[in-house]
Amino acid sequence: MTAATVPPAGPRWDMRTRMVIVSASGALPMLIIAVISPTFLKPGALPVLSLITFFTAVTVLIAAAVGRLTDRQFTVLGAGGMLGVATSAYVIADPAATRSVTAMLAIVPAIAASGSPPRVTTSLTALSVVMATIVTATDLAATGPLVSLIAIGAAVTTVLIPVTVISGLARSLRTVNLELQALADTDPLTGLLNRRGMLAPTRALLDAVHRRGTGIRAAVIDIDHFKQVNDTLGHTGGDRVLIAVANTIGAVLGDFAPLDSVLARIGGEEFLVLVPADLDQALERRILGRVRADTAVTASIGTVTAALSPVADGSMQPPPSGRRQPDMQLCEPNEGSLDPVETVIDIVGRTADGALYHAKTGGRDRAYTADPVVVTWPPAAPRTAGTRRRGLASPLLAGTGAPAADLAHDGEDDDVRFDRLQP
């Protein structure tokens, strides 16, 4: 049994939390300045600034302790920090220093724009604009309405410009990341998922069929005589055939399979289909018929049905005699693999591939199915580093030992052979 290695955890603080800690820490020296220079504040304002400094210190400590602030925590601490900035600006005696401190109201909305949901960014930006307007307008009697109006406009602009720029950059970065993710998860020729890209939808499919109490059916589809296609039509012609077959399989799934079905290209001319086990058993026959009718090639298919067996501790022990029951095989994941979805894909893929071999040797343009297997799902919860992840290290593949049987035809595509693989 393989001992899995847990990958190292991410950074202690995310970017947003680090920015909160740095920006809040920068406001702490204000109290020292007020103590050294009593004229820095309006009369009687030192207790108020002391309270603000205390709240700022608490904010830094909370952010440092939490490590990754939730949106709610960030909103509460950010709003409190802006209130402290606005109050500090109000109690400062020097108008020039007041305008400088007021500019700090732009910090929290700018931090929000870098990585918070739009509603959080919008709320904090609106609150910052209101506070900047109020603080600037308090000096209306001393400066006059025109100067105050200009000052209010400058304060609001100081808040909005960074938020707008950072929001635009964040949207551009998200768009680029989505495009890179699509490139990493998609086969560039056919537009289908690749092996990496099929992990997330396969997990969703496994969870869905597990909740319904059913299993999955896997089908490995291989284009017949594809080397001859490349030799005859060239690689460009072969690419066109691959695209045509991929589109045809996708069209059949779109007509007869549920939305959570998975279709991926897993090799040069091989495709993997994962569907709920209770789906119409004629799906493979329809795929064979449509490929033959709509493209210039035929295909062979190997299939297997996998039941999902929840096991309390993620493993299954051998019988008391120490010997395994007949037709049982304990399958280990790849070395270093931590994703149980990859293990399930590997189990059903290898079993269906074995059935595909019999479809090829039996004459091609047909489908063979292997005896059903059993895999453990859901996986065990993650454990700490250095311990065994038993749900990942010992998924069970068990043959049912059912006798071989030739599946009957329903009259559709009668020239398609659909047999059962001998155990």
Side-chain angles (χ1 to χ4, degrees):
M1 189 170 294
T2 305
T5 302
V6 178
R12 175 69 177 86
W13 299 292
D14 60 7
M15 178 61 70
R16 188 174 67 175
T17 304
R18 287 200 298 268
M19 294 171 70
V20 168
I21 294 174
V22 171
S23 61
S25 299
L28 294 176
M30 193 177 300
L31 180 62
I32 300 176
I33 297 174
V35 172
I36 295 175
S37 177
T39 58
F40 179 69
L41 300 178
K42 294 177 180 178
L46 185 59
V48 176
L49 187 59
S50 300
L51 182 62
I52 294 172
T53 304
F54 174 77
F55 176 82
T56 303
V58 170
T59 298
V60 172
L61 293 175
I62 292 176
V66 171
R68 293 173 177 268
L69 295 173
T70 65
D71 291 333
R72 183 184 298 274
Q73 291 169 337
F74 174 75
T75 302
V76 171
L77 294 179
M82 288 193 298
L83 180 61
V85 169
T87 305
S88 298
Y90 177 75
V91 299
I92 292 176
D94 185 359
T98 297
R99 287 191 291 271
S100 299
V101 173
T102 302
M104 295 175 63
L105 288 170
I107 294 176
V108 171
I111 295 175
S114 68
S116 299
R119 58 182 176 79
V120 174
T121 302
T122 302
S123 300
L124 291 176
T125 301
L127 181 61
S128 179
V129 168
V130 170
M131 289 183 178
T133 301
I134 292 174
V135 171
T136 307
T138 55
D139 205 24
L140 180 62
T143 60
L146 183 60
V147 175
S148 292
L149 184 61
I150 295 174
I152 290 172
V156 170
T157 301
T158 301
V159 173
L160 294 181
I161 292 298
V163 171
T164 303
V165 172
I166 294 176
S167 295
L169 292 174
R171 283 194 300 270
S172 298
L173 182 60
R174 284 192 293 269
T175 300
V176 171
N177 285 337
L178 289 175
E179 292 174 351
L180 292 175
Q181 186 70 40
L183 290 174
D185 292 347
T186 305
D187 172 50
L189 177 63
T190 62
L192 300 180
L193 297 173
N194 56 24
R195 186 176 180 89
R196 168 193 168 101
M198 70 181 299
L199 294 180
T202 298
R203 183 185 300 276
L205 173 63
L206 290 169
D207 288 339
V209 299
H210 179 260
R211 287 193 298 269
R212 298 200 300 265
T214 60
I216 61 170
R217 191 155 89 251
V220 175
I221 305 169
D222 185 270
I223 300 175
D224 294 330
H225 301 296
F226 188 69
K227 183 178 184 303
Q228 295 180 13
V229 173
N230 278 332
D231 292 342
T232 303
L233 303 178
H235 288 286
T236 300
D239 287 348
R240 287 196 292 267
V241 169
L242 282 169
I243 294 170
V245 172
N247 291 339
T248 299
I249 299 171
V252 175
L253 292 179
D255 292 339
F256 299 103
L259 293 178
D260 56 0
S261 301
V262 180
L263 170 60
R265 183 185 178 195
I266 58 172
E269 67 271 19
E270 279 194 350
F271 305 89
L272 176 62
V273 172
L274 300 175
V275 296
D278 54 0
L279 193 65
D280 182 3
Q281 294 294 322
L283 177 66
E284 290 83 7
R285 188 173 300 129
R286 290 191 174 99
I287 292 175
L288 290 173
R290 288 280 292 273
V291 169
R292 187 188 318 108
D294 297 350
T295 71
V297 295
T298 60
S300 299
I301 303 179
T303 70
V304 65
T305 298
L308 305 184
S309 174
V311 180
D313 64 353
S315 64
M316 191 169 287
Q317 300 298 329
S321 63
R323 295 176 300 172
R324 290 195 192 283
Q325 297 288 354
D327 299 317
M328 280 194 177
Q329 177 186 355
L330 187 63
C331 294
E332 299 287 347
N334 295 330
E335 183 69 27
S337 173
L338 291 177
D339 195 336
V341 178
E342 292 187 77
T343 303
V344 173
I345 292 173
D346 183 60
I347 290 173
V348 298
R350 284 189 287 111
T351 308
D353 199 58
L356 174 66
Y357 171 79
H358 285 262
K360 291 287 189 180
T361 58
R364 294 182 171 84
D365 192 18
R366 62 189 63 204
Y368 268 77
T369 183
D371 280 347
V373 299
V374 178
V375 294
T376 58
W377 191 267
R383 298 176 185 270
T384 57
T387 61
R388 290 182 176 180
R389 299 273 298 274
R390 293 163 64 181
L392 305 183
S394 57
L396 183 70
L397 170 59
T400 61
D406 189 14
L407 296 187
H409 294 276
D410 58 3
E412 179 181 352
D413 296 323
D414 287 336
D415 55 342
V416 176
R417 289 295 305 277
F418 198 103
D419 304 313
R420 182 174 294 280
L421 178 62
Q422 294 282 350

